[in-house]
Amino acid sequence: MSNVLLLGAGTQSLAILPGLHKAGHRLIMISDRRSNYGDKSRYLNKVYRLKDFAEEVMLSETLRIVANERIDIIIPMGDDTSLFLCKYQKSFPAQHFKTPEYENFIRGYDKNLLMSLCEEKKYPHPETLDLSKVSLSDERVRKFRFPALLKPNLTTGGRGMVKVHDYDELCAKLYELEDRAWCCTFEDTHGDVLSRNDIDIEQRLLDSVKR
């Protein structure tokens, strides 16, 4: 049996907790968001719910929990906690986890850095424009191919994407947003959103949550 710490309480934790429980591991979770519900799983042995989500607090609390619970394995449950673990991996020398170096992780996580890498290596990638570096009056913005996806530079699970059909709609959407550090990515899927409707899996996930 290993003491396993799950960093974060996102939906994906509900999918892996039953298997970890069946394997006989002791499961501890740090819930890092008020809106998450992975921390309601019946398979958890203990949950720590943070009230302060500042990075330095997250680090000190995680170190404290790792020591007190004698954690053997750490599993990040999302992009943000993966980024956190990459950044502070040297703070956890005795624990087992798989994560790339921070510089490599951020180059794939940061949308603009990733698109720059694709362009540098001549990899196929959507036409992308970094809107934090150009003015909306720039000719490259006006002549950008639409429809397009307006999305945050740092995304977690594909959240926050907005489809815009023309230049005027792009300007209107950006005006509504406080954070202008967005990417504008050409959408080549004609707006199709693929979704899985696996009732059996959905029911098993629902059954794993304490009522």
Side-chain angles (χ1 to χ4, degrees):
M1 180 190 78
S2 296
N3 293 321
V4 179
L5 176 65
L6 291 91
L7 275 180
T11 311
Q12 55 268 51
S13 60
L14 294 176
I16 71 168
L17 280 167
L20 292 172
H21 172 79
K22 187 176 181 180
H25 300 301
R26 180 169 174 266
L27 305 174
I28 298 95
M29 176 178 282
I30 295 178
S31 183
D32 63 332
R33 292 288 184 276
R34 295 184 181 88
S35 59
N36 283 343
Y37 47 87
D39 56 7
K40 307 300 189 298
S41 172
R42 66 177 74 251
Y43 299 109
L44 288 167
N45 297 96
K46 187 178 288 188
V47 177
Y48 292 88
R49 294 180 175 87
L50 299 188
K51 295 181 180 179
D52 188 335
F53 306 113
E55 192 173 271
E56 60 272 16
V57 175
M58 178 76 173
L59 178 59
S60 63
E61 284 298 291
T62 302
L63 287 170
R64 180 182 66 83
I65 292 165
V66 163
N68 291 346
E69 299 292 347
R70 298 182 178 180
I71 296 299
D72 303 300
I73 300 168
I74 303 176
I75 305 176
M77 286 288 99
D79 291 344
D80 48 356
T81 51
S82 294
L83 181 63
F84 168 83
L85 194 56
C86 280
K87 189 173 182 178
Y88 295 106
Q89 56 186 285
K90 292 182 180 178
S91 299
F92 306 95
Q95 283 66 50
H96 298 287
F97 53 84
K98 293 290 186 182
T99 184
E101 294 297 322
Y102 177 77
E103 292 75 16
N104 294 331
F105 182 91
I106 198 67
R107 198 165 188 186
Y109 182 49
D110 184 300
K111 179 70 174 177
N112 289 319
L113 291 179
L114 178 60
M115 292 298 100
S116 297
L117 176 64
C118 290
E119 186 171 349
E120 175 188 325
K121 300 294 184 181
K122 307 301 181 186
Y123 297 149
H125 62 284
E127 180 183 354
T128 306
L129 193 60
D130 182 356
L131 295 179
S132 67
K133 296 180 179 178
V134 296
S135 166
L136 285 178
S137 60
D138 192 292
E139 198 68 11
R140 290 171 293 174
V141 180
R142 291 183 173 277
K143 293 186 175 180
F144 197 83
R145 291 190 293 166
F146 293 94
L149 286 180
L150 182 64
K151 64 183 300 184
N153 187 33
L154 299 179
T155 58
T156 53
R159 298 169 185 163
M161 293 187 289
V162 179
K163 185 176 181 179
V164 290
H165 298 85
D166 53 41
Y167 173 77
D168 290 338
E169 186 176 7
L170 170 65
C171 294
K173 291 294 182 184
L174 275 176
Y175 183 76
E176 297 171 5
L177 303 169
E178 294 181 3
D179 182 3
R180 297 300 179 94
W182 289 64
C183 288
C184 184
T185 306
F186 175 67
E187 182 188 43
D188 57 1
T189 59
H190 306 291
D192 295 332
V193 178
L194 301 179
S195 61
R196 183 181 62 186
N197 185 23
D198 191 324
I199 297 176
D200 179 56
I201 292 178
E202 289 176 359
Q203 189 58 52
R204 275 186 282 160
L205 291 179
L206 288 172
D207 290 343
S208 73
V209 177
K210 289 183 287 189
R211 306 290 175 140

